[in-house]
Amino acid sequence: QVSRGLRTPQLPVWLCGISGRHGVLFCTNSRLLSDWRAERVFHLYFYNGQREQTTTAHLTIDTRSRRWEEDRSEDPSSPGKRRPSVEMAIRTKWAGATVSWNGTDPFF
């Protein structure tokens, strides 16, 4: 039998399969599960356990901003428009959100 804590997590946690690799995306703010106002600007952490990732990536998500969509005249496949897979996975839940990597080099 699955314990109550596993059925209803106290903190938001998502297991991700991104580009053939598995990772964990999580938040330390439990309000993200129950209060839509907490979804305006919040922090997520991503860890995939790969050698190239030496620390957990600390991401700031801003769902009010649409800066990443501003220049539609540029070819979406150009190197300047290419977005990390982690960002695109986040945008499946929060469409149009801006993701700040807070000094961490984005990984694809």
Side-chain angles (χ1 to χ4, degrees):
Q1 182 174 346
V2 177
S3 74
R4 185 177 156 262
L6 291 175
R7 286 181 281 156
T8 308
Q10 293 180 0
L11 296 173
V13 176
W14 295 272
L15 299 176
C16 307
I18 302 171
S19 300
R21 295 182 175 183
H22 294 90
V24 178
L25 192 61
F26 61 96
C27 181
T28 58
N29 182 359
S30 62
R31 289 183 46 227
L32 193 61
L33 290 171
S34 59
D35 186 359
W36 63 270
R37 290 176 296 248
E39 291 187 12
R40 292 179 180 163
V41 176
F42 56 95
H43 302 281
L44 291 178
Y45 301 88
F46 181 74
Y47 185 73
N48 65 8
Q50 300 296 319
R51 275 184 276 186
E52 59 271 7
Q53 185 182 4
T54 56
T55 61
T56 302
H58 172 211
L59 310 171
T60 301
I61 314 303
D62 184 352
T63 60
R64 301 169 301 168
S65 176
R66 300 285 188 255
R67 287 179 293 155
W68 76 284
E69 296 176 332
E70 282 178 356
D71 188 10
R72 295 206 176 263
S73 62
E74 190 176 338
D75 179 12
S77 62
S78 71
K81 276 295 210 184
R82 188 172 173 211
R83 299 289 179 218
S85 302
V86 174
E87 286 186 27
M88 299 314 291
I90 290 168
R91 290 189 186 110
T92 63
K93 171 110 174 101
W94 295 283
T98 300
V99 179
S100 170
W101 287 76
N102 299 312
T104 303
D105 289 332
F107 40 89
F108 290 86

